[in-house]
Amino acid sequence: MPSDASPNPVRLFNSLSRQLETLEPVTPGLVTIYTCGSTVYRYAHIGNLRTYLFGDLLRRTLAYLGYEVRYVKNVTDVGHMRDDQTDGGEDRMVLAALAEGKDPMDIAAFYTDAWLTDEALINITPPDVLPRATDHIAEMIAITQTLLDKGLAYEVDGTVYFDVGAFPDYGRLSGHKVEHTRAGTRVEVESDKRNLADFALWKRADSGRLMKWPSPWGEGFPGWHIECSAMSMKYLGDRFDIHTGGIDLKFPHHEDEIAQSEGAVGHPVVSLWLHGEFLTLGEAKMAKSAGNIIRVSELPAKGFQPLDFRYLGLTAHYRSKLDFTEAAMHAAASGLRRLRRAVAAGAADRQVSLADNPVAGYRSRFVSAISEDLGLPAALAVAHEVAGASDLEPDQRRGLLLDFDKVLGLDLDAPDAPTADLPAGAADLLERRAAARAAGDWAVSDALRTELETLGVEVRDTPEGQVPSVRPGRQP
């Protein structure tokens, strides 16, 4: 049950109303959240993980501010083609199974484990409930039948479509007009639809299809969107607080989810819709089709630690694009080292009162930042002020930073990992140089550059920070 203490007010940007709104939980003190999880037919890349990191930061923030949180994130192990215009071809899970010579459920189990392992590398906390789509076919069939009974869906030869013409509010989230929706796509639209915008709730399965289930309309499989309606409402009820996902899910996935959920229960289900922006690589969206994906487990081979990427995720607001570059990752690694060294300078066995000044002042500013639509970049800036604050004792810096780390999730009390491929002493010189440049002390910055050059380290300054490299032939 929620605690008796009053949580700190929070404002979040609701994609549905297109404005900041104060969070008012359905049950006071308890926030219920659903996040669209991974389609487990391949490895998750760091672009995917930015979306799940956003959900983790939301959860941590709300818990830090005094809310009890119930967090549900699903596993899509019935994988559908991105465009549900047509039933042509197999779905993603089946395609992966055929390519790897495995059973679809073996594929799902393998990539689910890989996804959760990668999440753990960047300290994403496991959800309270991790439902799998294939365990909820009965709930999907039940919602589909309800929509048929209410005249919001129709069946054609074993396939059931949602009738968007019977749902006047269709398009509220994305701004898509029904008359324009899905028209002119590159695939052939099913001829059995009443409207181009209608979408499948249940699809008839051909006799040779690998993943199929019995239903009142014959053997088939669920449409792309129905699974999230079924799982979110099963575990959070037909009124819950927050639904999150990547910006690419706003349409059609979340638009269709709203239509079928509200159509089934007769009232709004989700209070706040939150969407995270893309991670880009050279300003191009990271995607398997573009051939530019990177797994978080591959970062050490590139000279970075997984938590350097988590730090990078804190440097941009969740509603802003974030470009993954070598320079940005070097700056993130340097920033993380600075915070860890500030923590290490304090005594581990000293208790610090967060209510005493000047500690309370820094904490108040941190709370204000995260309470305003998850302002993590501003909160991170407060953390760096604490790391270098002359009005704080080392123990106070340590206590404050470890308190902030309940949200940041950077393991700030962990031993500082050595910077890959740099000579001994170079990491310390780089950090001192970064501090000198931040203070505008160019003479010290130049002197430190010279010291680094004697160690065989060249430094390139970029808008994102300094990028070091070891001269060829120089041994670390």
Side-chain angles (χ1 to χ4, degrees):
M1 295 296 293
S3 65
D4 294 331
S6 297
N8 196 85
V10 180
R11 295 208 309 164
L12 298 167
F13 187 85
N14 187 357
S15 297
L16 191 63
S17 66
R18 298 168 179 78
Q19 62 184 9
L20 287 168
E21 296 183 18
T22 299
L23 172 65
E24 296 179 356
V26 173
T27 301
L30 169 66
V31 182
T32 46
I33 306 173
Y34 183 86
T35 289
C36 290
S38 184
T39 302
V40 286
Y41 71 103
R42 55 152 171 78
Y43 291 114
H45 56 69
I46 58 175
N48 304 136
L49 290 183
R50 189 197 179 192
T51 295
Y52 307 134
L53 175 58
F54 151 51
D56 182 65
L57 291 169
L58 172 65
R59 179 193 194 177
R60 286 172 176 264
T61 292
L62 293 171
Y64 181 88
L65 296 176
Y67 295 91
E68 182 179 343
V69 180
R70 180 168 173 79
Y71 188 54
V72 179
K73 178 163 58 179
N74 79 296
V75 177
T76 296
D77 55 356
V78 185
H80 306 290
M81 302 308 293
R82 228 6 225 195
D83 193 328
D84 63 354
Q85 286 292 304
T86 177
D87 190 20
E90 290 286 7
D91 66 32
R92 290 169 167 175
M93 297 300 305
V94 174
L95 289 173
L98 293 174
E100 298 190 27
K102 298 178 181 178
D103 179 88
M105 298 314 295
D106 291 336
I107 291 287
F110 177 85
Y111 287 111
T112 297
D113 288 345
W115 167 45
L116 297 178
T117 298
D118 283 355
E119 284 202 333
L121 289 174
I122 58 170
N123 280 351
I124 292 178
T125 309
D128 297 306
V129 186
L130 186 71
R132 288 164 168 77
T134 51
D135 293 332
H136 298 81
I137 301 298
E139 288 84 355
M140 300 178 209
I141 290 174
I143 293 175
T144 301
Q145 186 62 61
T146 296
L147 293 169
L148 280 166
D149 294 343
K150 288 189 170 189
L152 292 170
Y154 57 94
E155 185 247 337
V156 181
D157 193 22
T159 293
V160 182
Y161 294 107
F162 186 92
D163 183 357
V164 298
F167 189 78
D169 283 341
Y170 191 84
R172 266 189 311 147
L173 178 67
S174 63
H176 281 69
K177 301 296 184 183
V178 170
E179 58 270 23
H180 300 143
T181 301
R182 298 185 176 89
T185 56
R186 66 179 181 272
V187 297
E188 182 180 352
V189 178
E190 297 97 323
S191 59
D192 54 2
K193 284 186 177 185
R194 294 178 183 173
N195 188 303
L196 290 176
D198 295 347
F199 58 91
L201 300 167
W202 185 262
K203 296 185 179 184
R204 183 190 73 246
D206 295 332
S207 59
R209 188 178 180 88
L210 293 177
M211 300 184 79
K212 58 186 176 182
W213 292 264
S215 81
W217 318 287
E219 285 192 327
F221 57 99
W224 177 24
H225 320 291
I226 193 68
E227 63 184 62
C228 284
S229 289
M231 289 183 281
S232 64
M233 290 194 289
K234 175 171 182 175
Y235 295 103
L236 298 177
D238 63 9
R239 291 186 188 273
F240 63 92
D241 299 310
I242 301 173
H243 196 311
T244 77
I247 192 71
D248 55 327
L249 297 184
K250 184 184 288 188
F251 183 85
H253 184 51
H254 289 162
E255 191 72 75
D256 292 356
E257 190 180 335
I258 288 173
Q260 63 201 13
S261 294
E262 295 189 6
V265 302
H267 58 73
V269 174
V270 179
S271 299
L272 299 172
W273 286 86
L274 274 60
H275 291 94
E277 259 290 0
F278 291 128
L279 179 78
T280 57
L281 183 62
E283 304 198 359
K285 176 189 171 185
M286 189 170 292
K288 184 177 181 182
S289 59
N292 62 352
I293 65 169
I294 300 170
R295 288 185 65 196
V296 71
S297 58
E298 296 171 346
L299 292 177
K302 298 178 181 295
F304 303 109
Q305 299 303 312
L307 287 181
D308 296 340
F309 175 72
R310 184 179 178 101
Y311 183 103
L312 178 67
L314 301 173
T315 64
H317 191 269
Y318 76 90
R319 289 193 287 118
S320 299
K321 288 185 174 69
L322 173 62
D323 201 29
F324 179 90
T325 66
E326 181 181 355
M329 283 295 290
H330 277 294
S334 178
L336 178 55
R337 288 196 302 273
R338 181 172 186 263
L339 295 180
R340 284 183 172 171
R341 290 178 184 178
V343 167
D349 58 350
R350 300 282 179 85
Q351 296 298 314
V352 173
S353 172
L354 299 177
D356 294 342
N357 286 323
V359 172
Y362 288 106
R363 189 172 190 273
S364 176
R365 289 171 54 206
F366 183 85
V367 168
S368 295
I370 61 176
S371 300
E372 186 69 3
D373 199 27
L374 305 186
L376 270 304
L380 189 61
V382 174
H384 276 284
E385 285 187 46
V386 167
S390 60
D391 58 345
L392 294 172
E393 298 297 326
D395 296 345
Q396 291 176 313
R397 294 192 198 104
R398 176 186 175 89
L400 258 179
L401 290 173
L402 291 182
D403 177 68
F404 294 173
D405 203 34
K406 296 173 185 175
V407 175
L408 304 179
L410 294 170
D411 286 352
L412 293 182
D413 57 347
D416 190 27
T419 302
D421 299 330
L422 289 178
D428 181 64
L429 292 175
L430 285 166
E431 183 170 326
R432 287 166 53 195
R433 185 171 183 272
R437 290 179 60 78
D441 194 338
W442 309 117
V444 170
S445 173
D446 289 343
L448 290 168
R449 179 195 287 275
T450 300
E451 285 192 59
L452 285 162
E453 288 175 349
T454 64
L455 295 177
V457 178
E458 298 176 349
V459 182
R460 177 169 55 91
D461 294 315
T462 76
E464 293 85 3
Q466 54 187 357
V467 179
S469 60
V470 180
R471 285 199 300 269
R474 179 80 186 200
Q475 295 297 317

